[in-house]
Amino acid sequence: MIDTKAYAAFNAKSPLGPFAFQRREPGDHDVLIKIHYCGVCHSDLHQVRNEWAGSTYPMVPGHEIVGKVHRVGPKVTKFAIGDAVGVGCMVDSCRTCPSCSKGLEQYCDGHISFTYNGTEPDKKTVTHGGYSTQIVVDENYVLRVSNKEPLDQVAPLLCAGITTYSPLRHWGVTKGHRVGVLGLGGLGHMAVKIAVALGAEVTLMSSSPSKKADALRLGAHEFLLTSDSHALATSQSRFDVIVDSVSAPHDLVTYASMLRLDGVMVLLGVPDKPSVLPAFPLIMRRRSIAGSLIGGIPETQEMLDFCASHGIAADVETIPITAIDGAYERMLRGDVRYRFVIDAASLD
Ligand code: NAP
Ligand code: ZN
Ligand code: ZN
């Protein structure tokens, strides 16, 4: 067993604190990864505070992991010692159901092993995530990352990147499409960069007037303040796709009404309370409201390669682990510019 240093949540209310535990020795197909950086996703905060119910403690959060391969099991074929690699939200799945067979492991019909706050395929051993010094993962759930961009800026692609890339691709966003991105945080800023790279005309919709300059710098063609009722009223029926990344409860009707005929609004954010959804805004222009969960392993690799070839990485604020609770507080205020990333060296 491998002694591992980490930070964990011990209950839903207290600050995170130091935690020591053991990773398994790498099996035949496992890769031992020395973690260099781990992004801080709003899902970490939701789960640390048990906002989705069912959280178990101690919990080592973190599913935007990048590092270097330190050791490989005897039957590993895809990776060698020293390779730059990433791990996202899943570390295993059933591998045999129709979804897994199509590379859509995130929609596994069997047992899916989320990177933390989940269990290994034995359904008993608790998984611990990337707020730690190292991780052992089956090579089939490990991704190759580019050395072209700094690794701390690559880490957020493992969740924020794939979570926005997948729906933009699934709904066929391409040149000439009008895309609305709701919320400029970790997911939102990746959605802007990726939608722009796909050729879309992008409007960023935010509750924060102070984010206008950043939205335009990130590539958005237009900025719309969500408290500006006039701007909202003049934006009816214009978007092909809206990507909703807001983490707190909010009105959906206003934004659904901004979809044109057959437009789709994709819910990515997971507020802790349900939203009201009347039928009229949907039936009037055959609009849809859909959801999307991260992305499968092949698509995550495709996204990483796409981002590397387009020079896309995250805008990050790198922090030591001791700053994690302050980072969560800023996240709650919508004050993330645009992803906190933990420097794992601060855990040693
Ligand atoms: P984040 O960095 O905190 O960004 C959320 C943004 O929502 C904020 O920056 C803010 O943008 C906006 N917002 C509007 N009203 C808010 C309010 N009352 N309180 C806080 N923020 C408000 O979060 P994230 O990491 O991008 O994650 C966003 C959501 O997606 C979370 O619910 C997360 O759990 C979920 N998520 C889902 C998936 C999936 O697979 N579907 C994957 C990862 C994360 P403005 O200031 O621009 O308004
Ligand atoms: Zn995430
Ligand atoms: Zn499966």
Side-chain angles (χ1 to χ4, degrees), residues 40-44 63-64 89 116 158-160 163 187 294 339:
V40 179
C41 179
H42 206 114
S43 302
D44 300 351
H63 58 206
E64 291 185 339
C89 302
Y116 69 87
L158 276 303
C159 176
T163 301
L187 265 57
I294 46 174
R339 198 56 139 187

Side-chain angles (χ1 to χ4, degrees), residues 255-272:
Y255 305 102
S257 307
M258 293 180 173
L259 295 169
R260 53 167 48 161
L261 176 67
D262 288 329
V264 60
M265 174 151 139
V266 189
L267 304 183
L268 299 178
V270 195
D272 57 354

Side-chain angles (χ1 to χ4, degrees), residues 2 4 21 23-24 26 30-35 62-63 65-66 68 70-71 85-88 91 115-116 120 127-138 142:
I2 304 167
T4 301
F21 69 103
R23 299 282 189 194
R24 66 174 183 267
D30 284 340
V31 174
L32 169 63
I33 301 163
K34 283 276 181 206
I35 298 174
H63 58 206
I65 299 166
V66 292
K68 297 264 172 83
H70 190 66
R71 218 193 308 162
V85 291
V87 177
V91 290
T115 303
Y116 69 87
E120 300 282 1
T127 52
H128 284 313
Y131 297 10
S132 61
T133 49
Q134 55 207 342
I135 189 166
V136 177
V137 182
D138 185 289
V142 177

Side-chain angles (χ1 to χ4, degrees), residues 149 157 190 194 302-313:
E149 309 292 337
L157 302 183
M190 290 311 308
I194 293 169
E302 179 187 304
M303 174 278 307
L304 287 165
D305 297 345
F306 174 90
C307 287
S309 68
H310 287 78
I312 294 174

